[in-house]
Amino acid sequence: MKCRRQPPFLKDKPTPIEDLWEVHLVHTTWEQITSIARKRKVSYSTVARYCIFRFVEQKSLKMDKNCQSLHMKNKMQIAGAKAVHRQLVCLYGEDVVLLRLTAIRLKISVSALIRLALAFYLPSLAMENHSNPVSQEEFFVLGIKRWLRIEQTELHRHG
């Protein structure tokens, strides 16, 4: 399984997939991703990217006790799992640089960073209720590449 197709809104735009990151996930996490993707009618990678970018863009993100606790829980789940799902996350533009720098700052691997982001934000997406829903616009913006906000004119020039 490889990310070969661009999302429909990027068709005929200068936006190649720059990198793929394979992350091993326990099946309960994978089931949450697939459920949310079906509900929102988006790709699995979009759900993962939403969680990742929402996590890494937090102001003053640091490895506090809550993060350390979730990180250790994720490590133990992966180590104890008989089988894992290999999730491919498609990354565009400078996404991978942002993830690597954030992982270095937190002193964890990029895969651990992705699992940590999923642990933080998948439950709220899965339990989303009417009083606190994630808007389609917010989901779209955080589910795509980071460069879109900066280089939006580039899309219009080539489109």
Side-chain angles (χ1 to χ4, degrees):
M1 172 163 88
K2 289 198 176 199
C3 299
R4 292 195 173 108
R5 294 179 301 147
Q6 300 293 65
F9 63 89
L10 293 175
K11 189 174 183 197
D12 302 323
K13 302 290 185 219
T15 315
I17 295 168
E18 295 291 330
D19 207 344
L20 296 172
W21 205 274
E22 181 180 297
V23 182
H24 293 177
L25 303 173
V26 293
H27 284 284
T28 54
T29 303
W30 172 243
E31 288 166 2
Q32 282 184 311
I33 290 172
T34 58
S35 173
I36 293 165
R38 278 193 305 270
K39 179 179 165 188
R40 289 192 170 261
K41 297 180 175 105
V42 296
S43 70
Y44 306 136
S45 195
T46 300
V47 174
R49 284 194 308 269
Y50 168 82
C51 295
I52 293 164
F53 293 124
R54 184 147 182 219
F55 183 71
V56 300
E57 289 185 349
Q58 289 181 52
K59 291 181 178 161
S60 67
L61 177 63
K62 57 186 168 201
M63 197 64 138
D64 58 14
K65 288 184 181 192
N66 194 20
C67 283
Q68 288 174 349
S69 172
L70 275 174
H71 176 60
M72 292 309 294
K73 180 180 173 187
N74 285 340
K75 280 176 72 170
M76 290 172 54
Q77 284 179 336
I78 289 293
K82 291 182 176 147
V84 293
H85 176 78
R86 295 171 40 201
Q87 164 72 30
L88 288 179
V89 179
C90 299
L91 300 170
Y92 302 90
E94 298 295 315
D95 292 349
V96 74
V97 174
L98 175 62
L99 296 185
R100 285 181 175 160
L101 290 174
T102 304
I104 289 168
R105 192 172 77 230
L106 296 178
K107 298 180 177 135
I108 58 177
S109 70
V110 173
S111 294
L113 173 73
I114 292 171
R115 283 190 291 270
L116 192 56
L118 291 171
F120 265 96
Y121 290 103
L122 275 180
S124 63
L125 275 176
M127 303 286 266
E128 190 174 34
N129 58 31
H130 297 294
S131 63
N132 193 20
V134 175
S135 72
Q136 282 298 101
E137 180 183 1
E138 180 184 358
F139 192 82
F140 175 78
V141 168
L142 288 174
I144 60 172
K145 64 193 77 39
R146 308 313 323 141
W147 63 264
L148 189 59
R149 287 189 194 159
I150 300 165
E151 298 179 24
Q152 214 166 16
T153 57
E154 189 71 18
L155 283 174
H156 298 299
R157 189 170 358 145
H158 289 84

